[in-house]
């Protein structure tokens, strides 16, 4: 069966460290993978998209990698800040369908 | 200017009632979606419309019916509400292929009592 797994429900790190979140999938062949941020009481906000033929994408303090052999994406936030505390969702596109979301990892950055 | 707006933000209603949630986007996107986020925060696709035509209809009870009067609007009508329908419902929109990300509304928290 198809699965998207984000390795942990919660991740706690100290300010200034790099947060690394993992997204694994099985039985999908996505054309691209996306990462979203969701704050309590709000809708998800699009952060980054990476295509199947791209290994890495960066945007300011964010970096995403995509390994279609391992069927895994890593999402990094460098120099993390308390304002980065939120739930981060990975999402896959499957041709002919809407985005399929993982359950998310809730990141807490303490000062 | 809100890009994707949903109304109402909160909806409390009794079992058996019929209710509607409205969604409008001003981004000029071709495709609109309804997602359901349950108590475990899992976001699940319900419907997808492209230029007013239904293109995805996941396995949801037929008590749920989407209506798209034009490509900027996608409303969700729910008949005979049940306790299990309590959740947060998100509307979203995207360019046709979704390659530039989805824009979500702020959600409608539905509570059925």
């Amino acid at each position: 069966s198809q699965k998207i797994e984000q390795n942990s429900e919660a991740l706690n790190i100290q300010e200034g460290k790099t947060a690394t979140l993992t997204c694994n999938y099985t039985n999908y062949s996505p054309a691209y993978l996306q990462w979203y941020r969701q704050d309590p009481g709000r809708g998800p906000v699009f952060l980054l998209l990476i295509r199947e033929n791209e290994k890495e994408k960066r945007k300011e303090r964010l970096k995403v990698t995509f390994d279609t052999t391992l069927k895994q994406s890593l999402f990094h936030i460098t120099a993390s800040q308390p304002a980065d505390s939120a739930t981060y969702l990975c999402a896959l596109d499957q041709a002919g369908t809407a985005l399929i979301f993982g359950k998310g990892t809730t990141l807490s950055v303490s000062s | 200017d809100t890009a994707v707006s949903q109304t109402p933000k909160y909806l409390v209603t009794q079992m058996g009632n019929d209710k509607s949630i409205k969604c409008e986007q001003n981004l000029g996107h071709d495709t609109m979606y309804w997602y359901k986020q349950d108590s475990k925060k899992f976001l699940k696709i319900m419907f997808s419309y492209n230029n007013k035509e239904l293109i995805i209809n996941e396995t949801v009870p037929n008590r749920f019916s989407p209506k798209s009067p034009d490509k900027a609007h996608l409303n969700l009508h729910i008949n005979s509400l049940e306790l299990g329908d309590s959740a947060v419902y998100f509307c979203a929109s995207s360019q046709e292929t979704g390659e530039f990300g989805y824009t979500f509304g702020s959600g409608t928290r539905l509570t059925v009592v």
Side-chain angles (χ1 to χ4, degrees), chain B residues 20-39:
Chain B
S20 292
I21 307 171
K22 295 186 176 182
C23 179
E24 175 182 2
Q25 55 98 1
N26 63 3
L27 299 166
H29 286 165
D30 296 315
T31 308
M32 295 184 72
Y33 312 85
W34 278 108
Y35 279 84
K36 178 181 180 179
Q37 190 168 45
D38 60 25
S39 56

Side-chain angles (χ1 to χ4, degrees), chain A residues 32 34 36 38 41-44 46 49 51 89 96-99 101 103, chain B residues 9 33 35 37 42-43 45 56 90 97-102 104-106:
Chain A
Y32 49 80
Q34 303 185 18
Y36 287 75
Q38 187 174 21
R42 302 280 191 113
F46 171 69
L49 176 149
R51 292 183 170 78
L89 305 163
T97 72
L99 281 182
F101 283 84
K103 290 189 178 182
Chain B
K9 188 165 176 64
Y33 312 85
Y35 279 84
Q37 190 168 45
F42 182 47
L43 259 178
I45 181 69
I56 294 170
F90 286 100
T97 60
E99 288 188 63
F100 302 99
Y102 287 18
F104 281 82
S106 56

Side-chain angles (χ1 to χ4, degrees), chain A residues 29-92:
Chain A
S29 297
Y32 49 80
L33 185 147
Q34 303 185 18
W35 284 88
Y36 287 75
R37 170 183 172 141
Q38 187 174 21
D39 291 285
R42 302 280 191 113
V45 174
F46 171 69
L47 296 175
L48 277 170
L49 176 149
I50 186 164
R51 292 183 170 78
E52 59 178 338
N53 60 351
E54 296 176 317
K55 294 259 187 256
E56 182 179 300
K57 188 72 89 63
R58 290 176 187 259
K59 179 182 173 183
E60 298 171 355
R61 295 184 295 110
L62 308 181
K63 184 177 89 170
V64 171
T65 63
F66 193 13
D67 188 326
T68 54
T69 302
L70 290 179
K71 296 187 185 294
Q72 181 181 80
S73 174
L74 299 179
F75 176 80
H76 306 271
I77 307 174
T78 57
S80 58
Q81 306 165 359
D84 296 325
S85 299
T87 297
Y88 292 87
L89 305 163
C90 76
L92 300 180

